[in-house]
Amino acid sequence: MEALIGGSVDVITTAYEQILQLGVKGQEARMFLVFTVREGRAVVALRPEIRSLRDLKGKRLGVPSPGSSNHTYAKLAMHRSGLRPEDVSVAGIGIGPAAIAALERGIVDAAAVSTGTFTYLKVKYPRLVLLSDGTTPEGSKEVWGAESFPLVGLVARPNWLEQHPDQARKVAAAVH
């Protein structure tokens, strides 16, 4: 997103909530091709004493990095459960194997993970505690208020799209 706003790239792939965060800051970006229409994130725990998001109060939540899409998802899920962001401490744990290791070693009490990591954890740990599941229509509706929405796609600045409609179509066709 920084490269797009800074002008060093014309098109990026990112999550829709990143566009919303830009809008809050007075910046504009437009998604012109949608790849995914359902959330691919979940908040999980390996500790059996953590049974719900409310159990995270005073605990440590792992996210790929503070401010990431997974962090945004976790904050909204916690908010819907009555928690405030300051009710948990947040630790950047990376993705994939790094996130799995942080959970397994108890560095964090729970983690906001994406689809690949979530799938791996479900298979490896049949007793994985699912605190929030955005991968299903019901779970998505519970957190976001809708079963589907534009989640990930190609994004560009509006002025670039207006000035380069043929290039935008070619980029979209190449990746679609």
Side-chain angles (χ1 to χ4, degrees):
M1 190 58 77
E2 289 177 16
L4 180 71
I5 298 305
S8 59
V9 299
D10 296 319
V11 178
I12 63 170
T13 299
T14 194
Y16 191 72
E17 64 259 26
Q18 299 293 323
I19 297 170
L20 298 175
Q21 289 175 358
L22 278 181
V24 170
K25 296 176 183 176
Q27 297 281 338
E28 282 189 76
R30 186 175 303 147
M31 186 173 285
F32 65 99
L33 177 67
V34 177
F35 294 142
T36 308
V37 295
R38 180 160 300 112
E39 183 61 64
R41 297 178 187 96
V43 180
V44 298
L46 292 176
R47 297 178 149 185
E49 70 272 14
I50 298 175
R51 305 301 312 160
S52 73
L53 287 168
R54 287 182 299 282
D55 294 334
L56 292 179
K57 189 169 186 171
K59 303 278 193 278
R60 193 170 175 94
L61 174 69
V63 298
S65 63
S68 65
S69 298
N70 286 21
H71 188 195
T72 300
Y73 171 81
K75 286 191 298 186
L76 184 55
M78 288 186 307
H79 172 76
R80 299 254 191 223
S81 292
L83 289 178
R84 297 169 301 166
E86 58 270 17
D87 288 337
V88 301
S89 66
V90 174
I93 59 170
I95 60 172
I100 293 164
L103 271 171
E104 291 175 334
R105 295 180 182 150
I107 294 168
V108 294
D109 300 294
V113 296
S114 295
T115 305
T117 302
F118 177 48
T119 302
Y120 174 84
L121 287 167
K122 282 194 310 187
V123 170
K124 186 172 182 185
Y125 296 101
R127 294 185 182 197
L128 180 72
V129 181
L130 186 55
L131 305 174
S132 177
D133 183 2
T135 67
T136 66
E138 302 79 22
S140 182
K141 188 167 185 159
E142 185 177 308
V143 173
W144 294 104
E147 291 182 3
S148 63
F149 54 93
L151 181 66
V152 176
L154 291 178
V155 175
R157 303 281 290 190
N159 61 346
W160 185 85
L161 288 168
E162 291 164 8
Q163 295 168 6
H164 302 93
D166 290 336
Q167 284 181 292
R169 277 191 285 283
K170 288 177 182 178
V171 169
V175 299
H176 190 267

